[in-house]
Amino acid sequence: MPSAPAHVVNVPVNQIREITQAAWATPDSIVLSIGEPAFPVARHVLEAAMAALERDDTNYTPNAGIAPLRAAFAERFAHLSGVDDDPSRVFVVAGAQQGLHLALSTLIAAGDEVLIPDPGYPTFTMTVGLLGGVPVPYPLKPHHGFQPLIEDLRRLVTGRTKVLMLNSPSNPLGSVFDSDLTCELVRFAHENDLWIISDECYEAFTYDVPHVSPARFDAGGPEAVPEAVEARVLTSLTLSKTYGLTGLRIGALVTPPGMELLLSNVMEATVSCVSGPSQYAGIAALTGPQDYVRTALDHYRANRDAATAVLDERGISYLDARGAFYLWADLSHATDGDVRAWTRTFLAEHGVALAPGTAFGSMGEGWVRIALCGRRDELVEGLSRLPAPRA
């Protein structure tokens, strides 16, 4: 049998899936390792998808998606970023992961380097490697609140660097970039002739701080930095987390002007177009009642507060979660330098699945990601089984 190419063989295992699948095979386990919203999808969203099926609206759509959905995404993005985008620059994608693949497929060639947060979502690294690129992690350090430092980024830039990946609110960290840092990062990208791919999957969920989109500071944005002569920010949005539509695979990639034909061709060569019924569900989600989002935000905030109370009681350190629905906790006192192995042992012995920090990069050693999106009683019970540091 012919062998697969090295850049495919070397794509790392997703340790989140690894521990979660082990938990699903463990009877009565408490699964805190995966970010799956626990609420039923809003009825008007389901009815929109069912109506599309009933009228047999199951044909191909344009590569970039149906016009009403692109317009709805453009309106939401304008609200988020202050950028009044033309819907022609919005590409409807099969979830944020396909949007990431679409963006990187368009921007990098084999051997090109992409700056990726460490800790950061694992498919950033996986996708770059799958496309023959070189993922270059930039460290997010505990003593700096796991926020990027411009001096660290500057040391990593080479002649092959093409893209800076940003993620705020962060999965796995729950951290949020403020306006000053976001502006600095956009300025850095322009100074070094880099594209930015901004993963804003959790934009709807921040706690007492605003979400700031890098597009605000890009060319055409309301606070464009002087260095921004041409736009270079691509923004990834999704309905998976915001409306609990993880399985419908519906999101959007908002692109700079002038890339429309190029992206349409790449879209045609990958998935052609997104499912029509999913797109009609997306229109209903974006334009209909927003009760789901408000309820989810309140639930995640209350779960965060309940979880931190348990960790405080047990003396376990954590990063203050300002967004998304994850809590980043320090279990280095228990993991003996191998948090991946420790999570498997903890699941086997205590019936609780946590995502190991090394799923998100080497800077995650000793840390775990706790999903806050499920039932509060299970969350509190699972965290109450964590080992406390020795006095």
Side-chain angles (χ1 to χ4, degrees):
M1 177 186 297
S3 59
H7 72 276
V8 175
V9 173
N10 293 332
V11 170
V13 170
N14 187 328
Q15 295 177 36
I16 306 170
R17 285 285 178 181
E18 179 183 65
I19 190 67
T20 302
Q21 288 172 350
W24 288 338
T26 303
D28 301 320
S29 61
I30 297 174
V31 183
L32 304 178
S33 55
I34 194 167
E36 180 72 54
F39 301 103
V41 173
R43 186 66 195 174
H44 69 280
V45 176
L46 295 175
E47 288 174 352
M50 290 187 287
L53 290 168
E54 287 172 354
R55 65 176 179 265
D56 194 20
D57 205 335
T58 55
N59 298 324
Y60 289 124
T61 73
N63 293 134
I66 58 178
L69 181 55
R70 298 174 76 189
F73 268 119
E75 183 175 346
R76 182 171 185 85
F77 184 64
H79 173 72
L80 289 175
S81 67
V83 178
D84 189 15
D85 263 329
D86 187 323
S88 67
R89 290 165 50 195
V90 175
F91 280 74
V92 177
V93 291
Q97 178 54 39
Q98 195 253 315
L100 173 66
H101 190 278
L102 176 65
L104 286 167
S105 296
T106 308
L107 300 179
I108 68 170
D112 285 345
E113 297 172 356
V114 179
L115 298 174
I116 291 174
D118 177 7
Y121 193 62
T123 63
F124 296 165
T125 295
M126 295 169 73
T127 306
V128 171
L130 189 61
L131 293 169
V134 180
V136 178
Y138 59 88
L140 306 179
K141 302 168 185 175
H143 63 271
H144 199 258
F146 289 97
Q147 299 275 328
L149 292 168
I150 298 298
E151 53 264 39
D152 288 334
L153 292 168
R154 191 172 287 119
R155 282 193 290 268
L156 294 170
V157 172
T158 73
R160 298 291 298 179
T161 311
K162 294 295 187 293
V163 178
L164 170 63
M165 288 289 311
L166 300 178
N167 178 210
S168 174
S170 166
N171 176 9
L173 301 169
S175 58
V176 176
F177 298 166
D178 65 17
S179 182
D180 288 345
L181 175 58
T182 306
C183 181
E184 285 184 43
L185 291 164
V186 174
R187 180 177 287 112
F188 169 82
H190 280 275
E191 289 173 344
N192 290 275
D193 197 26
L194 306 179
W195 296 99
I196 288 176
I197 299 176
S198 178
D199 176 353
E200 301 178 34
C201 291
Y202 296 90
E203 45 82 13
F205 304 123
T206 61
Y207 312 109
D208 306 316
V209 294
H211 168 66
V212 182
S213 176
R216 290 191 66 85
F217 306 100
D218 199 21
E223 301 174 57
V225 298
E227 296 83 355
V229 178
E230 294 180 325
R232 57 184 63 234
V233 175
L234 291 81
T235 305
S236 176
L237 305 173
T238 183
L239 305 187
S240 292
K241 310 299 185 179
T242 311
Y243 299 97
L245 304 182
T246 52
L248 288 189
R249 312 311 302 139
I250 196 82
L253 184 68
V254 185
T255 68
M259 300 184 71
E260 295 86 348
L261 179 59
L262 190 62
L263 279 159
S264 184
N265 288 339
V266 178
M267 189 78 173
E268 175 65 25
T270 51
V271 298
S272 295
C273 61
V274 176
S275 158
S278 290
Q279 294 190 57
Y280 285 103
I283 296 170
L286 286 166
T287 63
Q290 300 297 298
D291 304 58
Y292 179 99
V293 183
R294 290 187 288 268
T295 299
L297 178 62
D298 290 344
H299 178 74
Y300 302 150
R301 182 197 298 268
N303 272 10
R304 178 200 63 171
D305 294 345
T308 56
V310 175
L311 297 185
D312 285 340
E313 182 180 359
R314 301 191 68 72
I316 296 171
S317 299
Y318 55 87
L319 179 67
D320 185 25
R322 309 303 297 274
F325 46 64
Y326 304 104
L327 192 59
W328 186 246
D330 184 0
L331 269 294
S332 57
H333 59 275
T335 59
D336 197 26
D338 189 349
V339 70
R340 182 182 185 184
W342 179 85
T343 57
R344 293 296 296 265
T345 301
F346 189 67
L347 171 63
E349 296 180 352
H350 299 278
V352 181
L354 303 164
T358 49
F360 310 97
S362 62
M363 294 296 293
E365 182 57 69
W367 295 74
V368 297
R369 189 196 71 175
I370 302 161
L372 302 172
C373 44
R375 289 172 42 187
R376 190 165 308 135
D377 58 341
E378 289 192 345
L379 173 65
V380 170
E381 173 58 30
L383 298 186
S384 70
R385 301 178 190 178
L386 289 175
R390 293 179 180 176

